[in-house]
Amino acid sequence: MATALELYDPQVYELVRQEEVRQSGKIRLIPSENYVSKAVMMATGSCLTNKYSEGYPNRRYYEGQQVTDLIETLAIERAKGLFHADHANVQPYSGSVANLAAYTALVEPGSTIMGLKLTEGGHLTHGWNVSATSKFFKSVQYSVDPKTGRFDYTRIEEIAKKHRPSIIISGATAYPREIDFEVFGRIAREVGAYHISDIAHVSGLVVAGCHKSPVPYADIVSTTTHKTLRGPRGGLLLCKTEHAEKVDRAVFPGLQGGPHMHTITGIAVALAEANTREFLSYAKQIIANAKALAEKLAEHGFDIVSGGTDNHLILIDLRSKKIAGKKLAKALDRASIVTNYNTIPGDTAPPFNPSGLRIGTPSVTTRGMREKEMAIIAGFINRVAENIENESVIEEVSKKALLLCSEFSVPDHFIIPNKTEPQYMYSE
Ligand code: DSN
């Protein structure tokens, strides 16, 4: 594939090569990113990109679906098995479309949705003011407790009782603690709302059993497929049988046309990979690494929001260090450590120049790094923060980071080492 690209379009080939070099030579700590296996990469870059398949298996609007029907059915069955869900839709192009499909499946435009504020760790599509979700729906937002950085479920219940939303969304993009989906389900039931759970960030931890699944407690569960779940970039919806038809119609023809069959093929492979004992170890290690990294950063005097983490991500409040999030993220990038600046709960600074830094461990865990390396990385981050104006120190850290990366190469195929059969935990 690289050869064809190199021959036909050397300019794009060179850019792809540069990105490959960047991804292998940097310590990537953005919690929503990962490395897919070569198998997922091959499936995603396969001839399935050539096929139109509007509709669903055995109900299409185009002919020539002998193979696509089998692939989509396989992806659906694997998703149902892995998440223990009655129904799965593997067609959403992304988490954003999946969320919008979930809302439109259950309620009419103009209804009230209630989600976590973006600046407190929620997602744009949870009703944030610049998102279409706050224009097509009325949006009520909840926050985390400013003292603890955690959800105050009593307060969330009060807000739900006051506003009586039609949908309550559980889930976050920058919340370091395990979410009690059962409580969200109870609150939703009490006020007569649907419960939609967006587990885009933690779905890999959920399938591994490290976090409780929202599937029993939510009407619809939405996730992306590329974060801790480690598949290609896409979306996935899971629901109870009673909502299956509405969910399918909301995705197609409600919001989308032809599904991206190459992505669905990659998702099918990623779901098989997630159904292995190797994946369970990886998920457990993600959390162990995040805890170790948070602990070491705290020892270096960093203020960790909520005092630690239960999942794959860490939110650092930089106000006590008197460094803006963006400034540190940019200095770290020069030091070959890739992070993203982020608002912290109660932030008075704007989202484009916030007071925090968001980091996470999925990518470094996929590379095989463990607690020992987390201590080294915490040291790197601290050295950059303490020498933020000193480019020679930043360069020195960059060289060390590159050296660390060279010891943990991006694995070719991390699921079947020694080419043995993967140990599947459920059978298809
Ligand atoms: N933008 C994603 C993230 O980084 O968390 C959420 O969609």
Side-chain angles (χ1 to χ4, degrees), residues 214-253:
V215 168
Y217 312 112
D219 292 283
I220 301 179
V221 174
S222 151
T223 184
T224 51
T225 45
H226 49 271
K227 297 184 173 97
T228 50
L229 195 56
R230 208 164 57 181
R233 300 188 75 99
L236 183 62
L237 287 167
L238 306 152
C239 67
K240 304 192 190 315
T241 309
E242 62 178 297
H243 301 310
E245 208 180 313
K246 284 180 285 179
V247 163
D248 284 352
R249 288 192 64 76
V251 175
F252 173 85

Side-chain angles (χ1 to χ4, degrees), residues 30 32 123 173 201 227 358:
I30 293 176
S32 45
H123 191 252
T173 63
H201 268 261
K227 297 184 173 97
R358 188 184 71 149

Side-chain angles (χ1 to χ4, degrees), residues 22-28 35 333 336-338 367 405:
R22 190 194 69 81
Q23 289 188 13
S24 71
K26 305 268 179 179
I27 298 173
R28 297 171 63 225
Y35 297 95
D333 194 55
S336 298
I337 299 169
V338 191
R367 293 182 81 143
C405 285

Side-chain angles (χ1 to χ4, degrees), residues 30 51 80 88 124 130 214 257 283 286 307 349 362 395:
I30 293 176
K51 187 66 195 123
K80 282 162 59 180
L124 278 166
V130 294
I286 284 180
E395 203 183 318

Side-chain angles (χ1 to χ4, degrees), residues 127-150:
W128 184 239
N129 59 18
V130 294
S131 158
T133 54
S134 77
K135 300 188 172 29
F136 300 146
F137 300 100
K138 289 193 203 90
S139 172
V140 173
Q141 302 255 272
Y142 57 89
S143 304
V144 298
D145 182 325
K147 285 198 203 79
T148 62
R150 298 179 189 230

Side-chain angles (χ1 to χ4, degrees), residues 287-297 309 370-371 374-375 378:
I287 298 176
N289 281 349
K291 283 183 188 293
L293 187 53
E295 209 170 283
K296 289 294 166 193
L297 286 167
T309 180
R370 300 174 75 89
E371 287 88 333
M374 297 307 110

